[in-house]
């Protein structure tokens, strides 16, 4: 273990990504890089987040020097990004659902186990009192 802050990347820089950025910042992690294919959004986030933007998530995973990523893309793109990160041993926090395909979910889980990385689904209501079982 090290006391150095965790370097994090965000894949997909749309609306929900801002909440991930804020969460990492509050937790002491550093968002050093992100991937966003749309030029305008990428350039805006580079300024807002003071992070390096990539048009392609594979470049982020190769060059971004991150230990973890949040996947904030549209649902259909979750599995390819997660599999690419997990196969490199990069931890993944993926917006829900993990995938639109159960077989892809199984592949993601297997890739996390094989790569020694953590795969977690971001469920924003997980800690809400309204979602707790009765008498919990």
């Amino acid at each position: 273990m090290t006391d150095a802050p965790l370097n994090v990347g965000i894949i997909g820089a749309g609306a929900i990504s801002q909440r991930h950025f804020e969460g990492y910042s509050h937790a002491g992690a550093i968002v050093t890089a992100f991937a966003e294919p749309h030029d305008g959004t990428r350039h805006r986030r580079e300024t807002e987040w003071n992070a390096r933007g990539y048009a392609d998530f594979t470049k982020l995973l190769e060059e971004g020097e991150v230990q973890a990523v949040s996947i904030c893309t549209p649902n259909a793109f979750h599995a390819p990004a997660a599999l690419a990160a997990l196969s490199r041993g990069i931890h993944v926090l993926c917006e829900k659902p993990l995938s639109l395909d159960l077989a892809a979910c199984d592949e993601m889980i297997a890739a996390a186990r094989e790569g020694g990385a953590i795969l977690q689904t971001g469920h924003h209501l997980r800690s809400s009192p309204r979602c707790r079982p009765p008498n919990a």
Side-chain angles (χ1 to χ4, degrees):
M1 291 288 291
T2 177
D3 289 335
L6 188 68
N7 287 338
V8 179
I10 297 176
I11 299 175
I16 195 62
S17 68
Q18 181 63 32
R19 299 297 163 254
H20 286 252
F21 177 83
E22 292 166 0
Y24 288 126
S25 297
H26 288 281
I30 301 170
V31 176
T32 58
F34 68 96
E36 172 55 50
H38 297 97
D39 291 339
T41 303
R42 188 173 61 255
H43 295 307
R44 180 172 45 88
R45 291 294 196 202
E46 282 180 321
T47 300
E48 292 171 351
W49 294 349
N50 191 32
R52 181 160 182 193
Y54 294 88
D56 181 344
F57 72 81
T58 57
K59 285 285 197 187
L60 167 110
L61 298 174
E62 292 168 5
E63 302 173 7
E65 299 182 15
V66 296
Q67 291 89 40
V69 294
S70 276
I71 299 178
C72 302
T73 62
N75 298 343
F77 303 106
H78 288 180
L83 288 167
L86 293 165
S87 70
R88 290 171 169 83
I90 296 172
H91 305 297
V92 171
L93 172 60
C94 185
E95 274 294 320
K96 61 180 174 35
L98 279 181
S99 176
L100 300 175
D101 178 330
L102 185 56
C105 291
D106 289 340
E107 284 182 65
M108 293 162 72
I109 293 166
R113 288 181 177 145
E114 290 169 18
I118 295 169
L119 170 62
Q120 182 177 355
T121 305
H123 189 307
H124 66 281
L125 296 177
R126 179 174 284 132
S127 301
S128 172
R130 293 180 184 176
C131 294
R132 288 189 196 133
N135 302 319

